[in-house]
Amino acid sequence: MIRIPSAGGYDKLVYVPLKDGEYTQGANINLNQGIKEEDLVIVKTYACGVNYADVCIRWGLYESAKKFVGWPITPGFEFSGEIESKGENVKEFEIGQKVFGLSLFGAYSTRIRVPKQQIFKLPEKLDKYEAAGFLTVALTAWYGMFELARPRAGGKILVHSAAGGVGSMLVQLAKIAGCHVVGVVGASHKVDIVKQLGEFT
């Protein structure tokens, strides 16, 4: 696993090998939020996603990380892998099944334990590396678009940082929703990246 002992630069990222039987787990498990042992799965990870939020954790600026975990911390919100073990209530997944999922920190690890509702079957069209970097930006964009903004087909959407992770996902979701999208990028070399996501202004 990767641990960060205190706030700072890249040099604060420290590799700590897990012992046999060890794993990281999300803060929501540690906080005793009514999650049952029988609903947990342990995933042997293939890869983890790296997000801007992880950089903010390393800088010491991510408030939830300080509140729910503190130092040292293993960052990471998303991963892909295969199920190594599972609780008796986990009927929808099998040992050895390929999955991708989310965690409330702790995903920079070779093995992670999460509740069953935080993992999904790995789709055939996503390889294990793509899947590891998909869920955080996708669900953030989906929530913002369809739970908060609720656009109508034919509406106009302005997306800032349209070439970034969440921004590029917002562009694609808005196009799927039948909206006219205007994208803003921070540099001219990013224009073509966004244009590849569909017809554009």
Side-chain angles (χ1 to χ4, degrees):
M1 68 176 162
I2 301 294
R3 300 200 85 176
I4 305 172
S6 60
Y10 296 118
D11 59 313
K12 293 294 184 177
L13 298 168
V14 180
Y15 173 70
V16 179
L18 289 173
K19 297 175 184 174
D20 288 344
E22 276 191 324
Y23 47 78
T24 55
Q25 62 184 16
N28 54 335
I29 298 172
N30 298 335
L31 293 169
N32 193 21
Q33 296 182 340
I35 299 169
K36 298 177 182 178
E37 287 283 326
E38 297 83 6
D39 293 330
L40 297 174
V41 296
I42 295 176
V43 177
K44 180 180 177 182
T45 59
Y46 299 141
C48 66
V50 178
N51 291 280
Y52 181 65
D54 300 315
V55 177
C56 292
I57 290 169
R58 177 172 52 79
W59 287 339
L61 302 177
Y62 202 95
E63 202 58 40
S64 295
K66 293 187 281 186
K67 180 179 178 182
F68 297 136
V69 182
W71 304 110
I73 186 171
T74 296
F77 295 98
E78 57 189 349
F79 57 89
S80 65
E82 63 182 68
I83 296 177
E84 193 171 85
S85 65
K86 61 179 188 151
E88 61 184 35
N89 288 347
V90 183
K91 310 294 185 189
E92 54 272 75
F93 298 101
E94 301 297 330
I95 303 295
Q97 185 171 1
K98 295 178 181 180
V99 295
F100 65 140
L102 297 162
S103 178
L104 185 58
F105 314 114
Y108 283 22
S109 179
T110 52
R111 294 171 80 238
I112 187 165
R113 187 166 77 148
V114 294
K116 64 179 183 177
Q117 65 267 24
Q118 290 175 210
I119 60 170
F120 307 88
K121 179 182 176 183
L122 187 66
E124 290 183 7
K125 292 187 177 182
L126 279 181
D127 70 31
K128 59 188 178 182
Y129 303 111
E130 292 170 334
F134 175 77
L135 280 172
T136 299
V137 295
L139 292 177
T140 300
W142 182 89
Y143 184 81
M145 180 72 67
F146 298 113
E147 290 294 320
L148 301 180
R150 300 186 183 198
R152 296 178 182 173
K156 296 180 180 178
I157 303 284
L158 172 65
V159 178
H160 289 276
S161 299
V166 174
S168 63
M169 189 62 66
L170 282 168
V171 168
Q172 294 171 83
L173 291 174
K175 298 299 285 183
I176 290 169
C179 297
H180 176 78
V181 184
V182 176
V184 177
V185 294
S188 59
H189 71 275
K190 297 180 180 181
V191 172
D192 287 339
I193 294 170
V194 180
K195 282 184 175 179
Q196 292 173 16
L197 301 175
E199 282 186 30
F200 232 78
T201 299

